[in-house]
Amino acid sequence: MTEILISLLVLLGALFMLVAALGVLRMPDLTMRLHATTKAGVLGVGLIMLGLVIYFMNLGVSARALAIVGFTMLTSPIAAHVMGRAGYVTGVPMWQHSIKDELKGRYHPHTHELASHAPPADAQAPHDGH
């Protein structure tokens, strides 16, 4: 019974990793690709590590697997955020059917400053002296 559970966890984890890889290939823009890889990738790693913990039933292996899951859960969203912001700053185009651009009007491309709120519609863009 344990072997079946381990096999299911590892197979399901690998399936989620495959979904993450397909998300990179199929999603239309950078932010959607990052979303697919972050969510499905972390879940896939977590399920595979859970299968590993059940298979070995060893405190040392369990601690390492827990550390892997913890670091993956901490670093994946941060890395996706940084890559998404870098893509926005460098002008990577959004998908044509995107509904909302929350940084539009808040990000100044010359100074790379991000305002905490959008300026009023009649306000002009900040002048950078050039």
Side-chain angles (χ1 to χ4, degrees):
M1 184 68 185
T2 306
E3 292 85 13
I4 294 172
L5 177 63
I6 294 166
S7 299
L8 285 174
L9 286 170
V10 171
L11 187 61
L12 196 57
L15 183 65
F16 275 103
M17 299 288 268
L18 176 65
V19 168
L22 290 174
V24 170
L25 294 174
R26 301 286 300 159
M27 293 294 166
D29 71 350
L30 176 68
T31 54
M32 289 185 194
R33 289 182 193 127
L34 290 172
H35 182 76
T37 57
T38 303
K39 306 296 182 210
V42 170
L43 184 57
V45 168
L47 290 171
I48 291 171
M49 290 298 115
L50 182 59
L52 183 83
V53 166
I54 294 171
Y55 180 77
F56 284 105
M57 289 292 194
N58 180 330
L59 184 61
V61 172
S62 298
R64 288 182 186 108
L66 183 62
I68 290 169
V69 171
F71 285 125
T72 305
M73 288 178 75
L74 287 174
T75 59
S76 271
I78 295 168
H81 173 80
V82 170
M83 286 187 283
R85 187 162 179 172
Y88 191 87
V89 167
T90 59
V92 173
M94 294 176 67
W95 183 40
Q96 63 187 1
H97 297 295
S98 291
I99 296 172
K100 193 174 196 180
D101 180 359
E102 292 187 6
L103 295 181
K104 188 173 187 174
R106 294 178 53 199
Y107 175 73
H108 193 277
H110 299 295
T111 62
H112 300 294
E113 293 179 359
L114 183 63
S116 60
H117 64 287
D122 58 349
Q124 293 188 9
H127 182 65
D128 62 348
H130 292 93

